[in-house]
Amino acid sequence: MLFTNLSNMPDQFSKYWPPQDERIQQALLSVYQDGDWGRYHGKRTEQLAEQLAERFAMPHVHLVCSGTVGIELALRGLGVTSGDEVILAGYDFPGNFRCIEAVGARPVLADVEVASWSLSVNSFEQAISASTKAVIVSSLHGGLADVTRITAIARQHGIGVVEDICQIPGAKVSGKIAGSLGDVSVLSFGGSKLLSAGRGGAVLAKNEAIWQRIHVFKERGNDTYALSQLQAAVLLPQLEKLDERNAIRTTSALQIIAATEGIAQLQSLAHESGDHPVFYKIAWAMPSCQQRAALLTRAQELELPLFEGFRGFVKRSDRRCSKPVDLSHSTRAAETTVLLHHPALLAAPGEVESLGQQVKDLFEEYC
Ligand SMILES: Cc1ncc(COP(=O)(O)O)c(C=O)c1O
């Protein structure tokens, strides 16, 4: 069986994640000592919401139980409802498609950019119809969507922009913090994420009306999708360390990408100058599906943290979604993407160098 999710990933680099630092240990101890771990409300969630609002320049925050629920709530916050269309990339996190269905709207697929694995501006523009109410813009696998241009186009059509920053907390797009560019953005604090509480997420809204709609939906005598004090406690010290850890990951990722450059037919990430990517994964596209399967089998034998990408939605039936534009890049991404998972990026420089060499050798053999 191939490693297709994180529950059966190899051990070689798992010692680097989740982080085992003293600050997190202290945070757990203090939430135990003051009893907030057993309360509905406490100071940790307040502090976390305040710090997220400031860092992501989005004033209205809901802390929630997952990134997936966060995307659904973001759509509800924009007033998306049955009969509306929501555009998303044909290659994206599977839950995003389901969230559109969950609010009764219809997913409309647009294509991705080849070099960023993320929603293409032109394809998004072509997919707009009179029924388009919102767009979900995910930045995936170390790539960055051009949210600035997507938002500018969305504004002209009265379309709400959900920025899915679950994979890129702390990234900058054209010098601005990702998550601050659309109308509402979503973070995940899931077990594999760069800010992790095992589970959890946050919805960051630009205006109060969005926040209020979400509040009304989830308030049922109690906050139905809440994040606990215990979760907030372990996130606070990680937020402090985020930039430092992102910088280490970026140095490692760029080194590994550089090691694989020049391999014929292998395609890797490219960034605009002025962008500061964040690496939750590193993506490559192999020449073919068959070669990918063979490479991943070998990677598994070598205990290298390489995985398949998402399956994408291009093959989903026309009953469930609309496909008004060419989706060939999404098809290729679904069939040929190989991902390297982030814990390895925090390894010592020597280990990263040798990983880069192993990954290069493997791609050379199978491309
Ligand atoms: C791009 C993207 N969006 C949303 C999510 C959902 O986050 P969660 O696992 O917290 O539900 C993920 C999780 O992998 C993701 O990668």
Side-chain angles (χ1 to χ4, degrees):
M1 192 180 69
L2 285 175
F3 299 127
T4 50
N5 65 43
L6 303 173
S7 60
N8 60 353
M9 67 179 285
D11 264 349
Q12 198 186 353
F13 296 103
S14 47
K15 61 176 183 268
Y16 295 105
W17 206 259
Q20 300 214 320
D21 64 38
E22 252 174 48
R23 300 289 314 279
I24 296 175
Q25 203 176 3
Q26 274 307 318
L28 283 167
L29 194 61
S30 80
V31 76
Y32 171 73
Q33 282 167 340
D34 69 17
D36 267 0
W37 66 275
R39 300 192 175 106
Y40 283 111
H41 302 286
K43 57 179 185 274
R44 271 96 179 170
T45 46
E46 275 168 33
Q47 275 171 14
L48 182 64
E50 270 167 30
Q51 289 184 22
L52 293 176
E54 195 179 325
R55 177 177 266 267
F56 292 93
M58 293 292 255
H60 309 283
V61 175
H62 283 290
L63 300 177
V64 296
C65 57
S66 74
T68 306
V69 154
I71 296 283
E72 178 184 331
L73 293 172
L75 294 172
R76 293 190 187 281
L78 291 172
V80 176
T81 184
S82 116
D84 291 333
E85 290 182 353
V86 177
I87 296 174
L88 83 166
Y91 177 86
D92 199 355
F93 177 68
N96 290 356
F97 188 102
R98 297 284 290 113
C99 288
I100 298 170
E101 292 184 319
V103 302
R106 184 168 173 80
V108 175
L109 307 186
D111 212 3
V112 290
E113 290 295 350
V114 174
S116 75
W117 274 259
S118 303
L119 186 65
S120 145
V121 179
N122 291 339
S123 186
F124 158 63
E125 190 162 25
Q126 285 165 28
I128 293 171
S129 80
S131 304
T132 310
K133 180 84 175 187
V135 56
I136 299 175
V137 189
S138 305
S139 289
L140 297 179
H141 312 337
L144 290 174
D146 189 345
V147 199
T148 313
R149 279 175 64 208
I150 290 171
T151 303
I153 294 165
R155 294 266 178 278
Q156 289 164 17
H157 295 269
I159 295 168
V161 177
V162 178
E163 255 189 280
D164 178 342
I165 54 165
C166 291
Q167 296 201 358
I168 54 156
K172 287 191 178 154
V173 183
S174 320
K176 293 199 176 134
I177 183 91
S180 67
L181 298 156
D183 298 296
V184 52
S185 52
V186 178
L187 283 162
S188 164
F189 306 135
S192 68
K193 294 300 187 301
L194 302 180
L195 291 169
S196 178
R199 301 271 172 184
V203 184
L204 318 171
K206 195 159 264 173
N207 69 54
E208 202 174 343
I210 296 173
W211 186 92
Q212 191 62 31
R213 270 192 219 104
I214 296 172
H215 176 70
V216 168
F217 179 78
K218 71 190 183 81
E219 188 54 51
R220 298 172 197 177
N222 195 359
D223 182 352
T224 34
Y225 301 98
L227 188 91
S228 72
Q229 299 306 313
L230 201 51
Q231 289 168 296
V234 295
L235 287 164
L236 285 164
Q238 289 178 68
L239 205 51
E240 275 175 30
K241 284 257 181 190
L242 182 65
D243 289 340
E244 190 184 320
R245 289 198 173 119
N246 277 345
I248 297 170
R249 282 187 283 260
T250 299
T251 304
S252 304
L254 295 179
Q255 191 181 341
I256 295 170
I257 292 169
T260 63
E261 254 157 31
I263 298 176
Q265 297 191 68
L266 181 71
Q267 190 241 306
S268 57
L269 290 156
H271 297 102
E272 300 290 323
S273 65
D275 285 351
H276 290 270
V278 158
F279 292 91
Y280 167 66
K281 311 270 184 193
I282 305 175
W284 292 268
M286 301 268 303
S288 80
C289 196
Q290 286 80 1
Q291 278 141 307
R292 178 176 73 167
L295 176 136
L296 289 178
T297 304
R298 183 69 190 127
Q300 191 168 334
E301 287 161 10
L302 296 170
E303 294 206 349
L304 295 177
L306 297 175
F307 305 87
E308 280 181 6
F310 297 136
R311 291 209 174 134
F313 317 122
V314 178
K315 289 189 178 151
R316 294 218 170 151
S317 82
D318 295 344
R319 190 180 49 77
R320 287 181 75 186
C321 59
S322 302
K323 301 167 195 167
V325 294
D326 177 61
L327 296 170
S328 45
H329 298 320
S330 301
T331 303
R332 183 163 166 271
E335 291 176 354
T336 66
T337 296
V338 171
L339 301 176
L340 184 142
H341 190 43
H342 71 86
L345 304 178
L346 292 179
E351 271 186 284
V352 171
E353 197 182 336
S354 111
L355 175 63
Q357 187 61 45
Q358 282 180 287
V359 171
K360 175 185 180 231
D361 292 346
L362 211 54
F363 279 131
E364 271 175 347
E365 195 179 337
Y366 291 93
C367 283

